[in-house]
Amino acid sequence: MTRYWATAARLPDGFASDVLIASDERGAIAAVTVGVERPTDAVTLGTVVPGFANAHSHAFHRLLRGRTHDGSGDFWRWRTAMYEEARRLTPDRYRRVATAVFAEMAAAGYTSVGEFHYVHHRPDGSPYPRHDMENAIADAAEEVGIRLVLLDTCYLTGGIGRPLEGDQVRFGDGSAARWLDRWSAVRDALTARSSGLVTLGAAVHSVRAVPVEELAVVAGGLPQDVPLHVHLSEQPAENAESLSATGATPSRLLADAGLLSRRLSAVHATHLTDDDIALLGGAGATIVMCPTTEADLGDGIGPARRLADAGSPIAIGSDQNAVIDPFAEVRGLEYGERLASGSRGRFAPDELWRAGTRDGYVSLGLDGGEIRSGAWCDLVEIAADSVRTLGSDHEQLPYSATAADVTTVIVGGRSVASRDSDALAHLLGLSPTTAVPSTNG
């Protein structure tokens, strides 16, 4: 058992002083005690908050950072460059990229990540013999020490009524039934791992990539306790295509297929009708907003406040990983609302903390994101006296802190990153400038 003593810690009902947190042999929190003097055998920390959950990541998109921001264009132009990187991925390259990206996430304060994974097969569509790509991502998470939910993705078509083409071919399994078979085999392979850090979730890429009849197969075949994610209405073109082909919005298609429920997380949900918002909120589906990506790609500002008011929990994700900073995401959530509405305080600080921590963990099917007995002992220490945070009310740190203010990161009761070490160089034996493989190798 490891014990941590914090001068201040954010508990489910707010910040408390002089908090002792004990973790058990499984890496869960065994006890939380408030108002105690520091024990001599406890690890001393300053301001501590629950670990942040990155509920939506595409690790290999990190390869595009700093290379796709000039000129004009939109999401679809960016996607062409992304497909070029997907074509270059091999299991070894994917492992190296994911290790570097997960290490950056851990150093930024993310203690768990949902990796939305669809590069399953070789470029010609033939399978790897032993789930090589999935195991490469799992290897990366275990090397870093971050908690991973691998969201293995069903991706069958290149658009409504169009087959997979070119670089998309390696994403597909042919049918939802065949995807379910492979998903079950991947679950067996990951279950054999002993770290306890890796679990398998699931995703439907989008209604563009999974036909209506196959959505129902997923709904009927996927175990009900498995978290399910989906890209939803990120672009107006997706809505227009869905309405033209089916007469229904993507949200309505998911509802008709039986996929709308509390276990579903809809990513982006940017361009929604009033009926869509009512459907998602009524089902209690989580909405995963990715403000830095949505801004970078020009996606638009989603109706986060209206969705939350309708009954949908809000979580955050780094998506394309052009920015890896949980504070930037939760702050972007509020700032997007301010820009769209012209008023401040659209989300209270408590709501921003929950979006970054607890509700992200729930989205990934994990018991964590809170400092309480029974939850995973995933903790983040924040420097409350940096040039950015000095003078901040603890509850309002989401408005002033950045990833640079993260000083210690603990996953499962074990320290995995600290300010005293360069996480990427320490973990990979590479300099920060070479930690992510270059475009050419």
Side-chain angles (χ1 to χ4, degrees):
M1 176 182 291
T2 302
R3 300 204 296 173
Y4 299 94
W5 183 85
T7 57
R10 194 174 197 284
L11 307 184
D13 57 353
F15 276 92
S17 299
D18 302 332
V19 180
L20 183 64
I21 306 164
S23 68
D24 63 21
E25 64 279 356
R26 297 186 307 113
I29 295 175
V32 179
T33 311
V34 176
V36 298
E37 293 186 5
R38 182 180 66 85
T40 57
D41 64 340
V43 177
T44 301
L45 301 172
T47 301
V48 174
V49 301
F52 290 95
N54 186 348
H56 187 71
S57 163
H58 300 285
F60 79 91
H61 292 188
R62 165 64 177 82
L63 294 166
L64 299 175
R65 184 190 294 177
R67 294 177 44 235
T68 62
H69 308 290
D70 61 338
S72 61
D74 56 13
F75 167 85
W76 305 102
R77 177 180 171 183
W78 170 89
R79 191 180 72 160
T80 299
M82 181 268 286
Y83 280 171
E84 292 174 358
E85 292 297 347
R87 183 191 319 140
R88 297 185 179 98
L89 288 178
T90 63
D92 179 66
R93 180 175 172 81
Y94 213 159
R95 180 190 58 76
R96 290 188 292 131
V97 170
T99 303
V101 174
F102 292 162
E104 186 179 357
M105 287 180 191
Y110 285 119
T111 52
S112 63
V113 56
E115 182 63 21
F116 200 104
H117 165 63
Y118 49 79
V119 188
H120 303 302
H121 307 302
R122 293 187 174 95
D124 64 359
S126 61
Y128 286 99
R130 291 177 294 278
H131 311 297
D132 297 40
M133 294 298 245
E134 292 74 29
N135 277 308
I137 299 170
D139 287 345
E142 289 180 337
E143 182 172 349
V144 170
I146 197 169
R147 203 174 298 284
L148 169 70
V149 178
L150 184 64
L151 298 167
D152 194 276
T153 303
C154 184
Y155 198 135
L156 304 176
T157 59
I160 296 178
R162 300 194 301 274
L164 297 175
E165 296 179 344
D167 297 323
Q168 298 172 330
V169 170
R170 69 185 311 186
F171 307 161
D173 289 295
S175 69
R178 290 173 62 184
W179 170 75
L180 284 166
D181 287 342
R182 187 180 55 76
W183 184 91
S184 296
V186 172
R187 180 178 56 178
D188 291 342
L190 296 183
T191 300
R193 291 174 174 265
S194 61
S195 70
L197 290 173
V198 179
T199 56
L200 186 65
V204 169
H205 181 273
S206 61
V207 300
R208 291 184 292 106
V210 181
V212 172
E213 63 276 11
E214 300 282 25
L215 291 174
V217 175
V218 173
L222 191 69
Q224 288 299 309
D225 61 344
V226 174
L228 178 66
H229 289 220
V230 59
H231 291 126
L232 183 70
S233 294
E234 180 179 5
Q235 294 291 322
E238 176 184 333
N239 292 345
E241 186 177 3
S242 178
L243 286 165
S244 175
T246 70
T249 65
S251 296
R252 173 57 65 180
L253 291 180
L254 294 176
D256 291 347
L259 288 175
L260 281 192
S261 69
R262 291 190 178 278
R263 69 100 166 247
L264 184 77
S265 291
V267 182
H268 302 304
T270 307
H271 303 281
L272 301 178
T273 66
D274 291 346
D275 183 58
D276 294 337
I277 293 172
L279 285 171
L280 292 162
T286 296
I287 307 300
V288 183
M289 296 287 188
C290 307
T292 62
T293 288
E294 289 146 9
D296 180 68
L297 298 181
D299 289 344
I301 300 171
R305 181 70 265 171
R306 293 181 62 201
L307 284 159
D309 291 343
S312 285
I314 307 295
I316 59 163
S318 65
D319 195 358
Q320 62 164 325
N321 295 301
V323 176
I324 297 180
D325 185 337
F327 296 100
E329 303 299 346
V330 295
R331 192 157 51 241
L333 182 67
E334 167 65 12
Y335 284 179
E337 280 287 320
R338 293 184 184 188
L339 288 169
S341 68
S343 63
R344 305 177 79 215
R346 300 283 289 174
F347 284 94
D350 177 65
E351 293 178 294
L352 296 184
W353 284 115
R354 291 205 313 268
T357 58
R358 186 194 70 183
D359 288 343
Y361 267 75
V362 172
S363 169
L364 297 176
L366 299 172
D367 187 5
E370 293 184 301
I371 300 178
R372 58 166 172 80
S373 181
W376 289 116
C377 189
D378 298 349
L379 311 172
V380 172
E381 181 188 33
I382 303 169
D385 57 354
S386 75
V387 294
R388 290 164 295 276
T389 61
L390 186 64
S392 298
D393 181 287
H394 281 151
E395 189 68 4
Q396 295 188 41
L397 282 169
Y399 299 98
S400 60
T402 73
D405 297 307
V406 171
T407 54
T408 303
V409 179
I410 294 162
V411 178
R414 184 175 68 90
S415 178
V416 299
S418 71
R419 183 169 53 183
D420 298 328
S421 64
D422 183 316
L424 303 184
H426 173 71
L427 287 164
L428 302 180
L430 298 169
S431 71
T433 58
T434 60
V436 177
S438 69
T439 301
N440 298 319

